[in-house]
Amino acid sequence: MKTAHSMFGLLAAILLISAPVTWLTSLDEPIFAVIKIVAGLVSLAVWLRGLYVHRRGLVSGRGGVHLLVSAQLLAGVLIVGGVAIGFFEQSGTAWDMTSEQVYTVAEETRVLLDKLPETLKIEAYYGAHQGQGRVLKKLVEQLQASGADVDFELIDPSRDPKRTLAALISAESPKIILRLGKREERVRLPTEQQLAQGLQRLLGEARTLFVLRGHGEAELNGEDHAGFARLARELTGEGFTLAYLDLVKEGRIPSSAAALISLRAKTPFLEQELELISLYMEVGGRLLVAGQAGVSSGLNPLLKSHGLSFGPGVVVDPQVSGAPEVQGQPAAMVAAYTDHAVVARLAASGLRTLLSRPAPIVMLRGGGSAGGRVQPLAAASAESWVQADPLGRVMQRGDQVSGGALLAALWSDDRSKVEARRSDEARLGLLSDAGMMSNGGMVHAGNRALALNLINWLSGGDQEFAISASERRVSRLFLTRQERSRLRLLLLDALPLLFLLPGLIVWQRRRRFS
């Protein structure tokens, strides 16, 4: 047979054998596979014609036996390969070839999965265009391959808006829900560490936040600008259970309380209530107090014993005070954060944190009688000042003390040696403006991040869960679906053929003339 005909035979074999690869690497554009099959069939026809003309006896005698055996071997390889691929796909078998085993489920995660008393159900609310859904699906497949009893469901919010609304999924809320029986936890990122942390909370005790009432406090309802319904949805989305607590009526703080929240208390707390909260803090309790200028904080006596207090007047920042978005009232924007874990990432994020009518927070010299450690969190700009009249509409610097008033602060103390303790560390958080957590305030991403970070810290959500699996240090290139298809086609199909075909041609020519 002529060399040209042999080349057509080799080309036909390459094109037809590699056509399935082309099909798999360019599912969105099957035209490439069709072109390759057509070209392969044409090349095969040319080769068969040359074979018939030049070597009619090839298919008879010993040549026929060789052809039959070769065809059977090729069919056997294809069948065995197809069965093997199907088996590994069905069983979820995979090999982690990375040096640091970054695609292997960590041993700590396996321990948690082994503790599951029943099937873990994972719901994810991502659209078809969002890559997080695909990332999470791969991660769940790894969990299932490790033997975990996990059910996974990916819901497209645009196709099932009713279910999305019923699950309290919003643009800012976590999109991943872990369910174990009647309990659920929510996580934000489709990473093994986040899932493991959520699973740890799911297997532990429920986190219940008790909102204090009975002193004119704001409650977690109302859809208007000043309401707090959005905060309730955000906290529910973070996996918290919400409840109200009237200390006078109850006479105790429930053992299930992960933290207490006081939103803008307008009247003083009774002595017996202060004693209950003080005792609660002594055994490792957690408390968030959010005030506001012009509203007398009923918890100031308790705060002073912990080295903190809401001062008189209102913080005025000339850059934002009087603006329409704060309804013409005195306001302040956070200009500086400390390095505490609650706000460490906010410092570099550039998120806008705006407070309307903030009361200045005072750190008492010498601390309080309760001991512990007081830490500032956030402060206003150096151009701001504290104005004596918190309700005044005229904002002038005058002789007021200026510069960097505190807008958020913390107190904490070790309780690990207390026998009947609620936690190993008592924690207290202060925010100078409860309105920053209102529906209107939570519009600003910085307000939302600061509030949720602080509440998570108070409730113990800052506890790190060590995952030994190495961090995946990868650079991401975001491509369209068509661009990904073309890139796969180039790397997995066209490029190998570019090297294979010349090599076969050279081999055929040498074989012919040897």
Side-chain angles (χ1 to χ4, degrees):
M1 181 183 293
K2 295 182 179 180
T3 303
H5 291 149
S6 299
M7 294 302 102
F8 274 107
L10 290 173
L11 180 62
I14 293 172
L15 291 176
L16 293 178
I17 293 175
S18 64
V21 177
T22 305
W23 178 269
L24 293 174
T25 56
S26 59
L27 291 173
D28 299 329
E29 297 177 284
I31 185 64
F32 293 114
V34 173
I35 292 174
K36 182 173 284 190
I37 291 174
V38 171
L41 291 176
V42 171
S43 300
L44 181 63
V46 173
W47 177 76
L48 289 175
R49 183 178 180 279
L51 179 66
Y52 178 77
V53 172
H54 298 283
R55 302 184 65 180
R56 294 184 182 181
L58 180 65
V59 294
S60 61
R62 183 179 297 178
V65 173
H66 289 168
L67 180 61
L68 178 61
V69 172
S70 299
Q72 290 176 340
L73 287 175
L74 177 61
V77 169
L78 293 176
I79 293 173
V80 172
V83 171
I85 292 173
F87 170 78
F88 291 133
E89 179 72 20
Q90 183 68 26
S91 62
T93 303
W95 290 271
D96 188 350
M97 305 300 291
T98 59
S99 60
E100 298 181 349
Q101 298 292 293
V102 297
Y103 297 107
T104 302
V105 176
E107 184 61 31
E108 292 85 351
T109 307
R110 292 177 185 271
V111 171
L112 285 176
L113 294 171
D114 290 340
K115 294 180 181 179
L116 293 176
E118 53 187 296
T119 301
L120 174 66
K121 297 181 180 180
I122 301 179
E123 292 179 9
Y125 291 81
Y126 293 111
H129 63 284
Q130 294 177 289
Q132 296 97 322
R134 294 189 293 273
V135 172
L136 180 60
K137 183 178 179 181
K138 290 292 185 182
L139 178 56
V140 172
E141 289 175 354
Q142 291 181 25
L143 300 180
Q144 292 171 335
S146 68
D149 187 8
V150 180
D151 283 345
F152 177 67
E153 187 175 8
L154 185 61
I155 300 102
D156 189 337
S158 62
R159 295 186 177 183
D160 200 345
K162 291 184 178 180
R163 184 171 179 182
T164 304
L165 182 61
L168 301 176
I169 300 296
S170 64
E172 298 85 7
S173 68
K175 306 295 191 301
I176 305 170
I177 303 177
L178 310 180
R179 287 197 170 94
L180 192 63
K182 296 182 178 180
R183 296 189 60 181
E184 72 173 46
E185 282 290 339
R186 305 191 179 208
V187 296
R188 291 189 172 277
L189 299 176
T191 65
E192 181 182 342
Q193 183 170 5
Q194 289 257 322
L195 288 183
Q197 290 172 344
L199 189 55
Q200 186 186 40
R201 295 195 300 269
L202 200 61
L203 293 170
E205 296 181 358
R207 297 189 297 170
T208 303
L209 299 176
F210 282 88
V211 181
L212 299 178
R213 63 178 9 165
H215 313 87
E217 296 98 338
E219 297 191 353
L220 302 184
N221 53 33
E223 297 291 346
D224 60 333
H225 185 274
F228 288 85
R230 177 171 178 174
L231 176 61
R233 289 193 292 269
E234 292 283 357
L235 293 175
T236 302
E238 293 287 333
F240 290 105
T241 300
L242 305 177
Y244 291 101
L245 176 62
D246 189 324
L247 290 173
V248 174
K249 293 181 179 179
E250 292 291 333
R252 65 182 184 89
I253 297 176
S255 59
S256 61
L260 304 181
I261 299 178
S262 174
L263 289 177
R264 203 168 51 203
K266 297 178 180 178
T267 59
F269 280 62
L270 298 178
E271 189 67 28
Q272 66 188 61
E273 294 178 291
L274 293 175
E275 289 180 1
L276 282 174
I277 299 177
S278 296
L279 180 60
Y280 170 71
M281 299 300 293
E282 288 177 7
V283 294
R286 312 291 175 84
L287 173 64
L288 171 64
V289 182
Q292 195 165 52
V295 178
S296 62
S297 174
L299 281 171
N300 248 355
L302 175 72
L303 299 180
K304 290 180 178 179
S305 68
H306 292 79
L308 292 168
S309 174
F310 287 116
V314 61
V315 181
V316 179
D317 186 339
Q319 295 183 358
V320 293
S321 293
E325 60 184 318
V326 294
Q327 300 178 343
Q329 300 189 52
M333 186 177 295
V334 173
Y337 292 103
T338 62
D339 59 354
H340 193 277
V342 171
V343 293
R345 294 185 180 179
L346 287 176
S349 66
L351 295 178
R352 181 182 174 92
T353 307
L354 180 64
L355 298 88
S356 176
R357 288 177 57 201
I361 294 176
V362 180
M363 296 175 59
L364 304 180
R365 292 183 179 180
S369 59
R373 180 187 181 190
V374 176
Q375 295 175 272
L377 271 188
S381 67
E383 291 75 25
S384 64
W385 68 87
V386 177
Q387 185 163 295
D389 183 5
L391 302 179
R393 291 283 180 171
V394 179
M395 292 163 280
Q396 296 179 343
R397 181 183 296 273
D399 298 329
Q400 292 91 344
V401 178
S402 63
L406 278 183
L407 302 176
L410 302 174
W411 171 90
S412 61
D413 197 19
D414 181 45
R415 293 291 187 266
S416 59
K417 296 181 180 180
V418 178
E419 291 186 6
R421 61 183 180 274
R422 289 175 178 259
S423 68
D424 289 338
E425 186 177 54
R427 295 177 178 179
L428 170 65
L430 259 68
L431 287 176
S432 60
D433 172 34
M436 70 165 293
M437 296 186 287
S438 66
N439 299 332
M442 295 282 275
V443 170
H444 303 288
N447 290 18
R448 176 182 172 277
L450 176 58
L452 294 182
N453 285 358
L454 183 53
I455 292 174
N456 269 304
W457 177 78
L458 287 169
S459 62
D462 66 314
Q463 295 175 356
E464 295 183 357
F465 182 81
I467 297 296
S468 60
S470 301
E471 181 181 352
R472 303 176 187 182
R473 300 178 178 87
V474 294
S475 299
R476 296 186 181 276
L477 177 64
F478 294 96
L479 304 173
T480 65
R481 196 171 184 178
Q482 186 180 54
E483 289 170 340
R484 290 196 301 269
S485 177
R486 299 281 177 85
L487 184 61
R488 286 195 302 267
L489 182 67
L490 176 64
L491 295 178
L492 301 179
D493 188 33
L495 195 60
L497 290 182
L498 185 64
F499 291 99
L500 179 62
L501 188 58
L504 289 176
I505 293 175
V506 171
W507 170 77
Q508 179 65 22
R509 291 179 64 86
R510 289 180 176 178
R511 178 174 174 271
R512 181 176 180 83
F513 294 106
S514 60

